[in-house]
mmCIF file of all heavy atoms in Angstrom:
data_model
loop_
_atom_site.group_PDB
_atom_site.id
_atom_site.type_symbol
_atom_site.label_atom_id
_atom_site.label_comp_id
_atom_site.label_asym_id
_atom_site.label_seq_id
_atom_site.Cartn_x
_atom_site.Cartn_y
_atom_site.Cartn_z
ATOM 1 N N TYR A 100 29.533 -18.206 1.328
ATOM 2 C CA TYR A 100 29.095 -19.137 2.367
ATOM 3 C C TYR A 100 28.020 -20.099 1.852
ATOM 4 O O TYR A 100 27.200 -20.595 2.630
ATOM 5 C CB TYR A 100 28.538 -18.366 3.565
ATOM 6 C CG TYR A 100 29.555 -17.532 4.293
ATOM 7 C CD1 TYR A 100 29.646 -16.156 4.066
ATOM 8 C CD2 TYR A 100 30.446 -18.100 5.201
ATOM 9 C CE1 TYR A 100 30.580 -15.377 4.733
ATOM 10 C CE2 TYR A 100 31.388 -17.332 5.870
ATOM 11 C CZ TYR A 100 31.450 -15.970 5.625
ATOM 12 O OH TYR A 100 32.379 -15.207 6.286
ATOM 13 N N VAL A 101 28.021 -20.384 0.553
ATOM 14 C CA VAL A 101 26.951 -21.182 -0.030
ATOM 15 C C VAL A 101 26.949 -22.611 0.516
ATOM 16 O O VAL A 101 25.883 -23.231 0.684
ATOM 17 C CB VAL A 101 27.064 -21.178 -1.570
ATOM 18 C CG1 VAL A 101 28.306 -21.920 -2.033
ATOM 19 C CG2 VAL A 101 25.808 -21.753 -2.207
ATOM 20 N N ASP A 102 28.127 -23.166 0.799
ATOM 21 C CA ASP A 102 28.172 -24.529 1.347
ATOM 22 C C ASP A 102 27.503 -24.589 2.721
ATOM 23 O O ASP A 102 26.758 -25.540 3.025
ATOM 24 C CB ASP A 102 29.626 -25.001 1.451
ATOM 25 C CG ASP A 102 30.263 -25.200 0.092
ATOM 26 O OD1 ASP A 102 29.521 -25.521 -0.856
ATOM 27 O OD2 ASP A 102 31.490 -25.003 -0.030
ATOM 28 N N LEU A 103 27.741 -23.564 3.529
ATOM 29 C CA LEU A 103 27.104 -23.516 4.849
ATOM 30 C C LEU A 103 25.596 -23.339 4.718
ATOM 31 O O LEU A 103 24.818 -23.991 5.445
ATOM 32 C CB LEU A 103 27.707 -22.370 5.667
ATOM 33 C CG LEU A 103 27.108 -22.138 7.061
ATOM 34 C CD1 LEU A 103 27.315 -23.376 7.941
ATOM 35 C CD2 LEU A 103 27.722 -20.906 7.720
ATOM 36 N N LEU A 104 25.169 -22.497 3.777
ATOM 37 C CA LEU A 104 23.734 -22.281 3.563
ATOM 38 C C LEU A 104 23.052 -23.554 3.076
ATOM 39 O O LEU A 104 21.955 -23.900 3.535
ATOM 40 C CB LEU A 104 23.521 -21.145 2.556
ATOM 41 C CG LEU A 104 23.970 -19.752 3.003
ATOM 42 C CD1 LEU A 104 23.800 -18.745 1.871
ATOM 43 C CD2 LEU A 104 23.167 -19.306 4.227
ATOM 44 N N LEU A 105 23.704 -24.262 2.157
ATOM 45 C CA LEU A 105 23.127 -25.516 1.675
ATOM 46 C C LEU A 105 23.055 -26.560 2.783
ATOM 47 O O LEU A 105 22.086 -27.327 2.871
ATOM 48 C CB LEU A 105 23.954 -26.051 0.501
ATOM 49 C CG LEU A 105 23.668 -25.437 -0.868
ATOM 50 C CD1 LEU A 105 24.641 -25.959 -1.899
ATOM 51 C CD2 LEU A 105 22.231 -25.737 -1.297
ATOM 52 N N GLU A 106 24.068 -26.584 3.621
ATOM 53 C CA GLU A 106 24.044 -27.532 4.743
ATOM 54 C C GLU A 106 22.859 -27.249 5.667
ATOM 55 O O GLU A 106 22.203 -28.177 6.160
ATOM 56 C CB GLU A 106 25.365 -27.437 5.509
ATOM 57 C CG GLU A 106 25.464 -28.416 6.676
ATOM 58 C CD GLU A 106 26.774 -28.277 7.427
ATOM 59 O OE1 GLU A 106 27.660 -27.541 6.943
ATOM 60 O OE2 GLU A 106 26.911 -28.903 8.502
ATOM 61 N N ILE A 107 22.588 -25.964 5.902
ATOM 62 C CA ILE A 107 21.457 -25.595 6.763
ATOM 63 C C ILE A 107 20.125 -25.943 6.088
ATOM 64 O O ILE A 107 19.216 -26.496 6.727
ATOM 65 C CB ILE A 107 21.528 -24.097 7.086
ATOM 66 C CG1 ILE A 107 22.771 -23.795 7.936
ATOM 67 C CG2 ILE A 107 20.264 -23.652 7.823
ATOM 68 C CD1 ILE A 107 23.010 -22.313 8.158
ATOM 69 N N LEU A 108 20.013 -25.661 4.778
ATOM 70 C CA LEU A 108 18.752 -25.898 4.072
ATOM 71 C C LEU A 108 18.476 -27.385 3.875
ATOM 72 O O LEU A 108 17.314 -27.816 3.901
ATOM 73 C CB LEU A 108 18.776 -25.188 2.717
ATOM 74 C CG LEU A 108 18.775 -23.660 2.748
ATOM 75 C CD1 LEU A 108 18.945 -23.098 1.347
ATOM 76 C CD2 LEU A 108 17.474 -23.139 3.369
ATOM 77 N N LEU A 109 19.523 -28.160 3.654
ATOM 78 C CA LEU A 109 19.335 -29.580 3.348
ATOM 79 C C LEU A 109 19.307 -30.467 4.589
ATOM 80 O O LEU A 109 19.086 -31.674 4.484
ATOM 81 C CB LEU A 109 20.459 -30.066 2.417
ATOM 82 C CG LEU A 109 20.641 -29.283 1.111
ATOM 83 C CD1 LEU A 109 21.754 -29.905 0.290
ATOM 84 C CD2 LEU A 109 19.341 -29.255 0.322
ATOM 85 N N LYS A 110 19.530 -29.885 5.759
ATOM 86 C CA LYS A 110 19.591 -30.674 6.986
ATOM 87 C C LYS A 110 18.310 -31.467 7.255
ATOM 88 O O LYS A 110 18.384 -32.643 7.655
ATOM 89 C CB LYS A 110 19.900 -29.757 8.167
ATOM 90 C CG LYS A 110 20.111 -30.495 9.474
ATOM 91 C CD LYS A 110 20.499 -29.537 10.579
ATOM 92 C CE LYS A 110 20.713 -30.271 11.893
ATOM 93 N NZ LYS A 110 21.084 -29.342 12.996
ATOM 94 N N PRO A 111 17.088 -30.907 7.056
ATOM 95 C CA PRO A 111 15.884 -31.703 7.352
ATOM 96 C C PRO A 111 15.725 -32.935 6.461
ATOM 97 O O PRO A 111 15.076 -33.904 6.865
ATOM 98 C CB PRO A 111 14.740 -30.699 7.100
ATOM 99 C CG PRO A 111 15.364 -29.357 7.279
ATOM 100 C CD PRO A 111 16.751 -29.506 6.762
ATOM 101 N N ALA A 112 16.313 -32.917 5.239
ATOM 102 C CA ALA A 112 16.093 -34.041 4.313
ATOM 103 C C ALA A 112 17.221 -35.048 4.318
ATOM 104 O O ALA A 112 17.046 -36.190 3.891
ATOM 105 C CB ALA A 112 15.905 -33.503 2.893
ATOM 106 N N GLY A 113 18.398 -34.634 4.784
ATOM 107 C CA GLY A 113 19.525 -35.562 4.781
ATOM 108 C C GLY A 113 20.244 -35.575 3.442
ATOM 109 O O GLY A 113 20.467 -34.538 2.822
ATOM 110 N N LYS A 114 20.584 -36.786 2.958
ATOM 111 C CA LYS A 114 21.364 -36.933 1.730
ATOM 112 C C LYS A 114 20.491 -36.724 0.511
ATOM 113 O O LYS A 114 19.389 -37.272 0.421
ATOM 114 C CB LYS A 114 21.989 -38.333 1.685
ATOM 115 C CG LYS A 114 23.031 -38.512 0.590
ATOM 116 C CD LYS A 114 23.681 -39.883 0.714
ATOM 117 C CE LYS A 114 24.753 -40.061 -0.343
ATOM 118 N NZ LYS A 114 25.404 -41.404 -0.247
ATOM 119 N N LEU A 115 21.005 -35.938 -0.454
ATOM 120 C CA LEU A 115 20.263 -35.640 -1.673
ATOM 121 C C LEU A 115 21.104 -35.981 -2.898
ATOM 122 O O LEU A 115 22.296 -36.274 -2.799
ATOM 123 C CB LEU A 115 19.864 -34.156 -1.706
ATOM 124 C CG LEU A 115 18.939 -33.672 -0.594
ATOM 125 C CD1 LEU A 115 18.680 -32.179 -0.734
ATOM 126 C CD2 LEU A 115 17.617 -34.415 -0.618
ATOM 127 N N TYR A 116 20.468 -35.891 -4.072
ATOM 128 C CA TYR A 116 21.124 -36.233 -5.328
ATOM 129 C C TYR A 116 20.803 -35.136 -6.349
ATOM 130 O O TYR A 116 19.874 -34.342 -6.166
ATOM 131 C CB TYR A 116 20.624 -37.586 -5.859
ATOM 132 C CG TYR A 116 20.782 -38.714 -4.873
ATOM 133 C CD1 TYR A 116 19.786 -38.997 -3.939
ATOM 134 C CD2 TYR A 116 21.935 -39.499 -4.877
ATOM 135 C CE1 TYR A 116 19.931 -40.024 -3.024
ATOM 136 C CE2 TYR A 116 22.095 -40.533 -3.966
ATOM 137 C CZ TYR A 116 21.087 -40.791 -3.047
ATOM 138 O OH TYR A 116 21.240 -41.807 -2.146
ATOM 139 N N TYR A 117 21.588 -35.098 -7.417
ATOM 140 C CA TYR A 117 21.205 -34.243 -8.551
ATOM 141 C C TYR A 117 21.200 -35.099 -9.808
ATOM 142 O O TYR A 117 22.088 -35.890 -10.066
ATOM 143 C CB TYR A 117 22.112 -33.020 -8.683
ATOM 144 C CG TYR A 117 23.569 -33.264 -8.951
ATOM 145 C CD1 TYR A 117 24.058 -33.267 -10.258
ATOM 146 C CD2 TYR A 117 24.470 -33.449 -7.908
ATOM 147 C CE1 TYR A 117 25.403 -33.459 -10.503
ATOM 148 C CE2 TYR A 117 25.812 -33.629 -8.148
ATOM 149 C CZ TYR A 117 26.274 -33.638 -9.452
ATOM 150 O OH TYR A 117 27.608 -33.842 -9.697
ATOM 151 N N GLU A 122 22.267 -29.206 -12.628
ATOM 152 C CA GLU A 122 21.336 -28.988 -11.513
ATOM 153 C C GLU A 122 22.054 -28.469 -10.271
ATOM 154 O O GLU A 122 21.576 -27.540 -9.611
ATOM 155 C CB GLU A 122 20.603 -30.285 -11.191
ATOM 156 C CG GLU A 122 19.497 -30.115 -10.164
ATOM 157 C CD GLU A 122 18.697 -31.401 -9.984
ATOM 158 O OE1 GLU A 122 19.037 -32.421 -10.624
ATOM 159 O OE2 GLU A 122 17.725 -31.383 -9.193
ATOM 160 N N ALA A 123 23.206 -29.021 -9.955
ATOM 161 C CA ALA A 123 23.942 -28.589 -8.762
ATOM 162 C C ALA A 123 24.409 -27.136 -8.919
ATOM 163 O O ALA A 123 24.328 -26.338 -7.975
ATOM 164 C CB ALA A 123 25.126 -29.513 -8.515
ATOM 165 N N THR A 126 21.565 -24.776 -8.585
ATOM 166 C CA THR A 126 21.126 -24.769 -7.189
ATOM 167 C C THR A 126 22.008 -23.851 -6.355
ATOM 168 O O THR A 126 21.512 -23.077 -5.528
ATOM 169 C CB THR A 126 21.163 -26.197 -6.623
ATOM 170 O OG1 THR A 126 20.292 -27.035 -7.381
ATOM 171 C CG2 THR A 126 20.733 -26.205 -5.169
ATOM 172 N N TYR A 127 23.309 -23.923 -6.586
ATOM 173 C CA TYR A 127 24.231 -23.022 -5.880
ATOM 174 C C TYR A 127 23.909 -21.561 -6.193
ATOM 175 O O TYR A 127 23.909 -20.704 -5.305
ATOM 176 C CB TYR A 127 25.673 -23.333 -6.276
ATOM 177 C CG TYR A 127 26.318 -24.435 -5.458
ATOM 178 C CD1 TYR A 127 25.875 -25.751 -5.550
ATOM 179 C CD2 TYR A 127 27.381 -24.168 -4.605
ATOM 180 C CE1 TYR A 127 26.454 -26.761 -4.810
ATOM 181 C CE2 TYR A 127 27.979 -25.165 -3.856
ATOM 182 C CZ TYR A 127 27.507 -26.473 -3.968
ATOM 183 O OH TYR A 127 28.087 -27.466 -3.228
ATOM 184 N N LYS A 129 21.066 -20.292 -7.261
ATOM 185 C CA LYS A 129 19.760 -19.914 -6.717
ATOM 186 C C LYS A 129 19.860 -19.615 -5.227
ATOM 187 O O LYS A 129 19.296 -18.618 -4.741
ATOM 188 C CB LYS A 129 18.749 -21.043 -6.957
ATOM 189 C CG LYS A 129 17.333 -20.697 -6.559
ATOM 190 C CD LYS A 129 16.406 -21.879 -6.810
ATOM 191 C CE LYS A 129 16.333 -22.210 -8.282
ATOM 192 N NZ LYS A 129 15.349 -23.305 -8.550
ATOM 193 N N VAL A 130 20.602 -20.444 -4.490
ATOM 194 C CA VAL A 130 20.793 -20.200 -3.063
ATOM 195 C C VAL A 130 21.529 -18.881 -2.846
ATOM 196 O O VAL A 130 21.197 -18.096 -1.940
ATOM 197 C CB VAL A 130 21.561 -21.370 -2.420
ATOM 198 C CG1 VAL A 130 21.949 -21.032 -0.983
ATOM 199 C CG2 VAL A 130 20.713 -22.631 -2.445
ATOM 200 N N TYR A 182 11.307 -22.520 9.327
ATOM 201 C CA TYR A 182 12.420 -23.460 9.166
ATOM 202 C C TYR A 182 12.503 -24.451 10.324
ATOM 203 O O TYR A 182 12.735 -25.654 10.110
ATOM 204 C CB TYR A 182 13.743 -22.691 9.040
ATOM 205 C CG TYR A 182 14.949 -23.581 8.948
ATOM 206 C CD1 TYR A 182 15.271 -24.212 7.752
ATOM 207 C CD2 TYR A 182 15.756 -23.820 10.060
ATOM 208 C CE1 TYR A 182 16.376 -25.049 7.671
ATOM 209 C CE2 TYR A 182 16.851 -24.642 9.984
ATOM 210 C CZ TYR A 182 17.160 -25.259 8.783
ATOM 211 O OH TYR A 182 18.243 -26.101 8.709
ATOM 212 N N LEU A 186 8.831 -26.597 8.500
ATOM 213 C CA LEU A 186 9.537 -27.383 7.483
ATOM 214 C C LEU A 186 9.893 -28.790 7.961
ATOM 215 O O LEU A 186 9.653 -29.760 7.229
ATOM 216 C CB LEU A 186 10.796 -26.625 7.035
ATOM 217 C CG LEU A 186 11.620 -27.319 5.952
ATOM 218 C CD1 LEU A 186 10.810 -27.472 4.678
ATOM 219 C CD2 LEU A 186 12.902 -26.523 5.670
ATOM 220 N N PRO A 187 10.472 -28.992 9.155
ATOM 221 C CA PRO A 187 10.752 -30.376 9.585
ATOM 222 C C PRO A 187 9.504 -31.235 9.667
ATOM 223 O O PRO A 187 9.533 -32.419 9.305
ATOM 224 C CB PRO A 187 11.386 -30.183 10.971
ATOM 225 C CG PRO A 187 11.949 -28.806 10.942
ATOM 226 C CD PRO A 187 10.996 -28.003 10.111
ATOM 227 N N VAL A 190 8.579 -32.170 6.012
ATOM 228 C CA VAL A 190 9.478 -33.182 5.439
ATOM 229 C C VAL A 190 9.231 -34.542 6.082
ATOM 230 O O VAL A 190 9.187 -35.572 5.396
ATOM 231 C CB VAL A 190 10.944 -32.737 5.618
ATOM 232 C CG1 VAL A 190 11.899 -33.856 5.184
ATOM 233 C CG2 VAL A 190 11.220 -31.470 4.823
ATOM 234 N N LYS A 191 9.061 -34.565 7.392
ATOM 235 C CA LYS A 191 8.793 -35.832 8.093
ATOM 236 C C LYS A 191 7.483 -36.446 7.624
ATOM 237 O O LYS A 191 7.367 -37.671 7.479
ATOM 238 C CB LYS A 191 8.755 -35.583 9.601
ATOM 239 C CG LYS A 191 8.601 -36.846 10.426
ATOM 240 C CD LYS A 191 8.647 -36.525 11.916
ATOM 241 C CE LYS A 191 8.490 -37.799 12.741
ATOM 242 N NZ LYS A 191 8.532 -37.508 14.211
ATOM 243 N N MET A 194 8.088 -37.914 4.085
ATOM 244 C CA MET A 194 8.972 -39.081 4.121
ATOM 245 C C MET A 194 8.308 -40.261 4.821
ATOM 246 O O MET A 194 8.791 -41.391 4.727
ATOM 247 C CB MET A 194 10.282 -38.720 4.832
ATOM 248 C CG MET A 194 11.135 -37.723 4.068
ATOM 249 S SD MET A 194 12.731 -37.395 4.870
ATOM 250 C CE MET A 194 13.541 -38.972 4.682
ATOM 251 N N MET A 204 14.108 -40.507 -2.696
ATOM 252 C CA MET A 204 15.343 -40.071 -3.337
ATOM 253 C C MET A 204 15.101 -38.659 -3.874
ATOM 254 O O MET A 204 14.673 -38.480 -4.999
ATOM 255 C CB MET A 204 15.762 -41.029 -4.459
ATOM 256 C CG MET A 204 17.111 -40.688 -5.099
ATOM 257 S SD MET A 204 17.572 -41.873 -6.377
ATOM 258 C CE MET A 204 17.831 -43.343 -5.383
ATOM 259 N N PHE A 205 15.354 -37.687 -3.013
ATOM 260 C CA PHE A 205 15.046 -36.307 -3.361
ATOM 261 C C PHE A 205 16.123 -35.729 -4.272
ATOM 262 O O PHE A 205 17.321 -35.916 -4.044
ATOM 263 C CB PHE A 205 14.931 -35.435 -2.112
ATOM 264 C CG PHE A 205 13.781 -35.815 -1.224
ATOM 265 C CD1 PHE A 205 13.869 -35.649 0.152
ATOM 266 C CD2 PHE A 205 12.624 -36.336 -1.751
ATOM 267 C CE1 PHE A 205 12.816 -35.983 0.972
ATOM 268 C CE2 PHE A 205 11.562 -36.684 -0.939
ATOM 269 C CZ PHE A 205 11.659 -36.511 0.431
ATOM 270 N N SER A 206 15.687 -35.007 -5.282
ATOM 271 C CA SER A 206 16.595 -34.247 -6.124
ATOM 272 C C SER A 206 16.890 -32.913 -5.443
ATOM 273 O O SER A 206 15.986 -32.274 -4.882
ATOM 274 C CB SER A 206 15.992 -34.013 -7.501
ATOM 275 O OG SER A 206 16.723 -33.050 -8.215
ATOM 276 N N ILE A 207 18.149 -32.463 -5.475
ATOM 277 C CA ILE A 207 18.514 -31.246 -4.765
ATOM 278 C C ILE A 207 17.779 -30.015 -5.323
ATOM 279 O O ILE A 207 17.378 -29.123 -4.573
ATOM 280 C CB ILE A 207 20.050 -31.040 -4.822
ATOM 281 C CG1 ILE A 207 20.443 -29.840 -3.972
ATOM 282 C CG2 ILE A 207 20.530 -30.885 -6.253
ATOM 283 C CD1 ILE A 207 21.929 -29.672 -3.835
ATOM 284 N N GLY A 208 17.579 -29.985 -6.633
ATOM 285 C CA GLY A 208 16.871 -28.853 -7.229
ATOM 286 C C GLY A 208 15.416 -28.804 -6.823
ATOM 287 O O GLY A 208 14.893 -27.751 -6.424
ATOM 288 N N GLN A 209 14.732 -29.946 -6.901
ATOM 289 C CA GLN A 209 13.320 -29.995 -6.524
ATOM 290 C C GLN A 209 13.135 -29.760 -5.028
ATOM 291 O O GLN A 209 12.194 -29.072 -4.611
ATOM 292 C CB GLN A 209 12.733 -31.345 -6.935
ATOM 293 C CG GLN A 209 12.708 -31.565 -8.438
ATOM 294 C CD GLN A 209 12.207 -32.947 -8.806
ATOM 295 O OE1 GLN A 209 12.064 -33.824 -7.940
ATOM 296 N NE2 GLN A 209 11.958 -33.167 -10.088
ATOM 297 N N TYR A 210 14.030 -30.325 -4.234
ATOM 298 C CA TYR A 210 13.914 -30.125 -2.790
ATOM 299 C C TYR A 210 14.135 -28.659 -2.421
ATOM 300 O O TYR A 210 13.435 -28.109 -1.560
ATOM 301 C CB TYR A 210 14.929 -31.004 -2.059
ATOM 302 C CG TYR A 210 14.977 -30.747 -0.569
ATOM 303 C CD1 TYR A 210 13.998 -31.255 0.273
ATOM 304 C CD2 TYR A 210 15.994 -29.966 -0.016
ATOM 305 C CE1 TYR A 210 14.033 -31.002 1.642
ATOM 306 C CE2 TYR A 210 16.032 -29.721 1.346
ATOM 307 C CZ TYR A 210 15.042 -30.242 2.168
ATOM 308 O OH TYR A 210 15.063 -29.981 3.522
ATOM 309 N N LEU A 211 15.112 -28.020 -3.050
ATOM 310 C CA LEU A 211 15.366 -26.613 -2.745
ATOM 311 C C LEU A 211 14.179 -25.741 -3.152
ATOM 312 O O LEU A 211 13.820 -24.804 -2.433
ATOM 313 C CB LEU A 211 16.636 -26.150 -3.463
ATOM 314 C CG LEU A 211 17.080 -24.728 -3.126
ATOM 315 C CD1 LEU A 211 17.457 -24.624 -1.658
ATOM 316 C CD2 LEU A 211 18.258 -24.316 -4.002
ATOM 317 N N ASP A 212 13.575 -26.047 -4.297
ATOM 318 C CA ASP A 212 12.371 -25.306 -4.694
ATOM 319 C C ASP A 212 11.265 -25.481 -3.661
ATOM 320 O O ASP A 212 10.536 -24.520 -3.334
ATOM 321 C CB ASP A 212 11.883 -25.783 -6.063
ATOM 322 C CG ASP A 212 12.844 -25.389 -7.174
ATOM 323 O OD1 ASP A 212 13.625 -24.435 -6.969
ATOM 324 O OD2 ASP A 212 12.819 -26.039 -8.240
ATOM 325 N N PHE A 213 11.138 -26.692 -3.152
ATOM 326 C CA PHE A 213 10.134 -26.960 -2.123
ATOM 327 C C PHE A 213 10.416 -26.147 -0.859
ATOM 328 O O PHE A 213 9.521 -25.533 -0.280
ATOM 329 C CB PHE A 213 10.108 -28.459 -1.801
ATOM 330 C CG PHE A 213 9.292 -28.814 -0.594
ATOM 331 C CD1 PHE A 213 7.913 -28.916 -0.677
ATOM 332 C CD2 PHE A 213 9.905 -29.047 0.637
ATOM 333 C CE1 PHE A 213 7.150 -29.240 0.440
ATOM 334 C CE2 PHE A 213 9.163 -29.376 1.756
ATOM 335 C CZ PHE A 213 7.781 -29.470 1.653
ATOM 336 N N VAL A 214 11.683 -26.114 -0.438
ATOM 337 C CA VAL A 214 12.047 -25.399 0.795
ATOM 338 C C VAL A 214 11.806 -23.903 0.640
ATOM 339 O O VAL A 214 11.198 -23.260 1.510
ATOM 340 C CB VAL A 214 13.514 -25.680 1.162
ATOM 341 C CG1 VAL A 214 13.953 -24.776 2.306
ATOM 342 C CG2 VAL A 214 13.682 -27.138 1.550
ATOM 343 N N LEU A 215 12.266 -23.327 -0.462
ATOM 344 C CA LEU A 215 12.126 -21.885 -0.659
ATOM 345 C C LEU A 215 10.657 -21.471 -0.774
ATOM 346 O O LEU A 215 10.243 -20.461 -0.201
ATOM 347 C CB LEU A 215 12.893 -21.448 -1.912
ATOM 348 C CG LEU A 215 14.418 -21.590 -1.843
ATOM 349 C CD1 LEU A 215 15.050 -21.156 -3.152
ATOM 350 C CD2 LEU A 215 14.995 -20.788 -0.688
ATOM 351 N N VAL A 218 9.259 -21.838 2.879
ATOM 352 C CA VAL A 218 9.798 -21.018 3.965
ATOM 353 C C VAL A 218 9.557 -19.531 3.725
ATOM 354 O O VAL A 218 9.101 -18.807 4.623
ATOM 355 C CB VAL A 218 11.305 -21.305 4.153
ATOM 356 C CG1 VAL A 218 11.916 -20.331 5.140
ATOM 357 C CG2 VAL A 218 11.514 -22.737 4.635
#
Side-chain angles (χ1 to χ4, degrees):
Y100 295 100
V101 67
D102 292 331
L103 177 62
L104 294 176
L105 279 175
E106 182 181 351
I107 294 173
L108 292 174
L109 305 182
K110 185 176 180 180
K114 191 175 182 180
L115 298 178
Y116 304 88
Y117 62 94
E122 187 174 2
T126 300
Y127 274 67
K129 186 181 296 184
V130 171
Y182 177 78
L186 181 62
V190 173
K191 185 177 180 180
M194 293 184 67
M204 185 178 293
F205 295 148
S206 167
I207 185 173
Q209 295 176 349
Y210 174 78
L211 185 64
D212 291 338
F213 170 80
V214 171
L215 294 179
V218 172

